[in-house]
Amino acid sequence: MMKSSEGLLLIFSFLLRAIVSTAAREAAFDRIEELPGQPPVNFEQFSGYVLVNEKRGRALFYWLTEATGNAHEKPLVLWLNGGPGCSSVAYGASEEIGPFRINRTGSGLYLNKYSWNREANILFLESPVGVGFSYTNTSSDLKKSGDERTAEDSLIFLIRWMERFPKYKHRELYIAGESYAGHYVPQLAKKIVGYNKASSEPFINLQGFIVGNAVTDNNYDSFGTVTYWWTHSMISDRTYHSIISSCNFSSPSTSSPCDSSISYAMNHEFGDIDQYSIYTPSCPAATATSPENSSFAASRRMPTRLGRSGLLFLGNRLLRRRGYDPCTEMYAERYYNRREVQEAMHANVTGIAYKWTACSDVLIKTWRDSQFSMLPTYKELMAAGLRIWIFSGDTDSVVPVTATRLSINHLNLTVQIPWYPWYTGRQVGGWTEVYEGLTFATVRGAGHEVPMFKPRRAFQLFKSFLAGKPLPKS
């Protein structure tokens, strides 16, 4: 006769095999055979949905591009874009660190020489719901997004995604992102640390995170931004003093004189520039009147979304400036709205009632809770022993290097390696300082989306971060 303990063991074994079998089937269903217009590649791709809230029908869309070699040995990196409300598929995957770039017509792809999946398995997440292909069956969710719910949903996503891809359980995990992901990344890291402490058998092996041009502290960021405008000759002395005297950046609310001074600077003194990259040409499509470009043009003046990218037309000639193309966001919107692309990526399976866009204006305008300062969270995560790097492209005027440095200075950290220039090849890639618990680096000549403007320098930064080594001095 079988003992009861043996019977329970057999039942448990059967259930475990069933769960693993189901997860394997889901992972196999998510495999991307080939994207339309894709060149040949030597790595696996997966994409699809993970349900994060059954009651309200919230589901997040992901795209995994595995490493080009020895993927089973390399870490997992979760990439998040900010906004809030902007797509990691549009920006991180298609303009910055992903393996592909989209051609001008949106008809095909070409390879990115400095893709980060040369060093790691990269998982792009469109978060929160309402961003890109991520959706909710409860329409009111779109007007109730905020920091806390975004972090909670992202944690649930990771837990359930790793059930679907168990080979990534216990794998070294790093989180990366930029801009408003200066909130998303450390907030999710804090959730993971708490989850691991509360779990009898934690399996999310978070090692650290890296964020670029990161929104960090409302007070210091705001003062540092205005300082950048003035020191880079974007505004007059008069406007600078007007903003400083009329704005109380430590207050969560603004005054009319403050708003008027900032509005005057943007509308009368900045000129027609790309605020996310002040020394490169802006996209001429922003002045076009066709319906295709209307939403692109409408958001260009006020920096509420990630980089404006494109091409500069001079007469009948088309100029590319060192490979930088200031209208790439438009190419992404052409490509990912193609039905055959969505089918290949297992996307838009519910038939969402709106076009795929790089950013969601609804989320940007209705964001509910936003943590005033991330500095206390940084202190908690440094105490938890995570590897933390912050980098800053130095030609971004939206979340500029001066803002980031001012925020970091108020952490009052001990310097381990004093300020020095770091190199890629024989050129200065930027400057860096290593503190106890945190590394800061600038990237010379890069705008808001650092890997798009300076891909080689960003790739060196990423390799050094993964290795846990200071940036090269020569």
Side-chain angles (χ1 to χ4, degrees):
M1 175 182 273
M2 183 183 292
K3 295 180 181 179
S4 60
S5 60
E6 292 175 340
L8 288 172
L9 187 61
L10 283 172
I11 292 171
F12 176 76
S13 177
F14 174 78
L15 290 173
L16 183 62
R17 285 198 302 271
I19 291 170
V20 171
S21 176
T22 300
R25 285 198 301 272
E26 289 178 332
F29 177 77
D30 286 355
R31 184 187 302 276
I32 297 175
E33 297 299 332
E34 187 177 63
L35 294 170
Q38 174 197 304
V41 296
N42 61 346
F43 58 87
E44 297 283 354
Q45 302 179 75
F46 300 83
S47 62
Y49 288 95
V50 172
L51 192 65
V52 296
N53 187 296
E54 290 83 353
K55 183 178 179 181
R56 302 183 73 83
R58 290 204 297 271
L60 296 180
F61 182 80
Y62 79 90
W63 180 10
L64 171 68
T65 59
E66 292 195 323
T68 55
N70 299 318
H72 63 287
E73 297 176 352
K74 291 184 177 176
L76 176 67
V77 174
L78 173 68
W79 175 273
L80 302 169
N81 274 97
C86 293
S87 164
S88 296
V89 169
Y91 295 102
S94 303
E95 293 186 1
E96 300 183 75
I97 70 168
F100 304 118
R101 294 287 181 268
I102 303 170
N103 66 20
R104 289 182 55 221
T105 61
S107 61
L109 307 172
Y110 58 96
L111 293 175
N112 170 22
K113 180 180 178 181
Y114 293 104
S115 175
W116 286 12
N117 78 329
R118 288 169 53 185
E119 297 293 321
N121 303 283
I122 310 295
L123 176 60
F124 299 98
L125 178 62
E126 292 196 305
S127 175
V129 293
V131 174
F133 293 122
S134 294
Y135 68 87
T136 175
N137 292 333
T138 309
S139 57
S140 61
D141 280 347
L142 299 177
K143 296 183 178 180
K144 295 179 180 178
S145 291
D147 283 14
E148 180 61 24
R149 198 186 76 190
T150 298
E152 289 176 356
D153 281 359
S154 295
L155 174 63
I156 294 169
F157 165 84
L158 264 183
I159 294 168
R160 294 183 175 178
W161 185 86
M162 287 183 177
E163 293 296 338
R164 188 177 301 180
F165 292 86
K167 66 182 179 180
Y168 286 105
K169 283 188 178 183
H170 309 291
R171 188 82 64 96
E172 282 191 356
L173 170 69
Y174 298 92
I175 313 175
E178 70 191 9
S179 194
Y180 199 79
H183 281 217
Y184 295 163
V185 170
Q187 287 167 347
L188 176 56
K190 182 178 177 179
K191 289 283 185 185
I192 293 171
V193 169
Y195 170 79
N196 285 339
K197 284 182 178 178
S199 301
S200 57
E201 197 176 335
F203 58 82
I204 302 180
N205 185 18
L206 179 64
Q207 296 294 303
F209 63 85
I210 179 169
V211 287
N213 292 80
V215 176
T216 305
D217 179 280
N218 287 5
N219 181 23
Y220 304 132
D221 283 358
S222 298
F223 186 82
T225 298
V226 176
T227 301
Y228 186 93
W229 295 348
W230 182 61
T231 56
H232 287 72
S233 305
M234 295 171 63
I235 60 174
S236 64
D237 293 355
R238 178 181 177 181
T239 298
Y240 171 73
H241 291 301
S242 175
I243 293 172
I244 294 302
S245 63
S246 63
C247 295
N248 179 9
F249 296 130
S250 62
S251 171
S253 58
T254 63
S255 64
S256 293
C258 175
D259 290 343
S260 296
S261 296
I262 292 175
S263 177
Y264 182 84
M266 290 184 168
N267 293 315
H268 298 283
E269 293 188 341
F270 279 13
D272 187 13
I273 63 167
D274 184 342
Q275 295 173 39
Y276 297 87
S277 173
I278 64 174
Y279 299 128
T280 52
S282 55
C283 178
T287 59
T289 56
S290 67
E292 178 185 4
N293 299 329
S294 59
S295 63
F296 182 82
S299 66
R300 187 169 176 272
R301 272 277 184 190
M302 193 65 68
T304 54
R305 33 202 304 178
L306 294 183
R308 306 289 125 226
S309 346
L311 295 168
L312 177 64
F313 291 92
L314 293 181
N316 294 322
R317 292 188 302 133
L318 181 65
L319 288 185
R320 289 184 182 271
R321 184 157 176 178
R322 295 183 181 177
Y324 166 60
D325 179 349
C327 289
T328 55
E329 178 184 323
M330 292 177 58
Y331 312 156
E333 294 197 2
R334 289 172 187 156
Y335 187 75
Y336 294 113
N337 276 299
R338 291 171 54 191
R339 188 60 209 160
E340 61 269 33
V341 173
Q342 295 177 5
E343 289 174 354
M345 298 184 77
H346 324 115
N348 196 15
V349 293
T350 59
I352 51 179
Y354 46 83
K355 287 181 64 177
W356 183 95
T357 57
C359 293
S360 166
D361 289 335
V362 173
L363 267 63
I364 290 171
K365 293 173 182 176
T366 60
W367 200 255
R368 298 193 109 188
D369 61 290
S370 180
Q371 193 170 329
F372 189 87
S373 175
M374 298 307 304
L375 298 183
T377 303
Y378 273 97
K379 290 178 180 179
E380 289 181 50
L381 296 174
M382 283 187 283
L386 295 184
R387 183 184 308 161
I388 301 173
W389 283 37
I390 301 175
F391 64 95
S392 187
D394 60 14
T395 69
D396 173 28
S397 74
V398 177
V399 191
V401 61
T402 45
T404 301
R405 293 185 71 180
L406 194 59
S407 293
I408 291 175
N409 285 342
H410 283 82
L411 285 170
N412 298 313
L413 302 175
T414 301
V415 175
Q416 288 187 335
I417 303 177
W419 192 267
Y420 68 90
W422 64 272
Y423 286 79
T424 49
R426 298 183 179 182
Q427 298 295 319
V428 172
W431 291 265
T432 183
E433 189 155 69
V434 179
Y435 304 95
E436 189 175 315
L438 184 147
T439 294
F440 172 66
T442 73
V443 182
R444 187 165 69 98
H448 191 74
E449 297 171 83
V450 168
M452 179 172 72
F453 291 97
K454 296 295 179 183
R456 183 181 179 186
R457 292 173 185 175
F459 187 62
Q460 176 63 64
L461 183 83
F462 180 59
K463 288 195 297 181
S464 297
F465 165 73
L466 286 184
K469 297 179 179 179
L471 285 155
K473 290 186 176 182
S474 63

